[in-house]
Amino acid sequence: DYEKLLSDPNFPLINKVISLPQPTGPTFKPFVGLALLDSGTIDKSFTVVSEGCMHLSQNGETFCEAGKKSFGKIDFNEAIARSSNIFFCKAMLKMGIDKLNIYADRLNLNSKSDIDLKEEVKSTIASKELKKRIENSAWFDGDTCNTAIGQGLNKISLIQLMNLTSNIANGGSTYTPHLVIRSTKDFQYKP
């Protein structure tokens, strides 16, 4: 039975929250949006036209919305609401991957959350250096676009994604998560 568990492709013996960093997909876009706005690369009135797909000039790749949907002219709020790949690709190409990595470092995304569990694995955000080290390849516009939508070389643990979301929601404070066995105070929800 143990051998069966070890070879199971769903990794049932691995704590997926802390030990299995993965590409996050659209849940990464609020972080990218934060970096884009805070850096002054865009403001909330910045718009792009999404026709379903776009061609990347660097090496002839095509980059598309999910399902190749066309959203037309969209601004930041619509891009978040519709999870527009094209919006985030175009905005990230304007800002550049290096600046995104500065924000990733500020928010500790290239690290561990330091939760009280030994098995935690470090999260990583895609970068030119990481691609060179892993694939021995140059960085392309398609890499920037894939990173902007939470794909590519991004590997973030669920605990780090939770920390990131919490950081954005609470106005910029990062907290170290801890395990609590019991609380001495009763928690009462007050709407």
Side-chain angles (χ1 to χ4, degrees):
D1 289 340
Y2 184 65
E3 288 299 325
K4 204 179 206 181
L5 290 171
L6 286 176
S7 63
D8 188 323
N10 293 314
F11 306 109
L13 299 179
I14 294 178
N15 183 336
K16 294 172 182 72
V17 173
I18 61 167
S19 300
L20 193 63
Q22 297 288 319
T24 62
T27 58
F28 192 65
K29 289 175 182 173
F31 162 67
V32 175
L34 170 77
L36 290 165
L37 292 169
D38 189 70
S39 68
T41 302
I42 66 166
D43 60 26
K44 286 188 178 182
S45 65
F46 175 81
T47 61
V48 303
V49 175
S50 168
E51 296 175 342
C53 291
M54 63 183 269
H55 296 285
L56 301 173
S57 59
Q58 200 173 32
N59 59 352
E61 293 178 44
T62 301
F63 189 79
C64 299
E65 299 284 9
K68 298 184 180 180
K69 294 178 186 170
S70 175
F71 295 133
K73 186 176 179 180
I74 56 172
D75 64 15
F76 179 79
N77 289 335
E78 290 173 295
I80 288 282
R82 294 178 178 220
S83 191
S84 171
N85 293 342
I86 300 292
F87 181 93
F88 284 96
C89 173
K90 287 183 177 181
M92 268 298 300
L93 289 172
K94 185 175 177 174
M95 181 172 80
I97 192 65
D98 295 332
K99 204 174 270 187
L100 183 71
N101 278 275
I102 292 169
Y103 282 90
D105 289 341
R106 283 184 191 166
L107 293 171
N108 299 318
L109 285 179
N110 284 313
S111 63
K112 296 179 181 181
S113 73
D114 290 330
I115 192 167
D116 320 313
L117 297 169
K118 293 178 189 175
E119 302 84 20
E120 184 177 16
V121 174
K122 180 180 156 186
S123 295
T124 55
I125 302 301
S127 68
K128 294 173 184 175
E129 295 79 19
L130 181 65
K131 185 174 183 196
K132 185 73 173 165
R133 188 172 71 243
I134 292 174
E135 299 178 5
N136 195 28
S137 178
W139 188 265
F140 296 105
D141 289 347
D143 297 313
T144 299
C145 292
N146 282 333
T147 301
I149 65 167
Q151 299 296 326
L153 295 175
N154 287 338
K155 301 279 190 266
I156 302 173
S157 67
L158 291 174
I159 194 79
Q160 280 292 65
L161 185 59
M162 181 272 313
N163 265 356
L164 173 63
T165 305
S166 170
N167 188 301
I168 292 170
N170 72 32
S173 298
T174 301
Y175 299 100
T176 301
H178 295 285
L179 296 177
V180 177
I181 295 171
R182 124 180 91 246
S183 175
T184 57
K185 297 181 180 184
D186 293 329
F187 175 80
Q188 293 183 0
Y189 175 73
K190 295 179 183 177

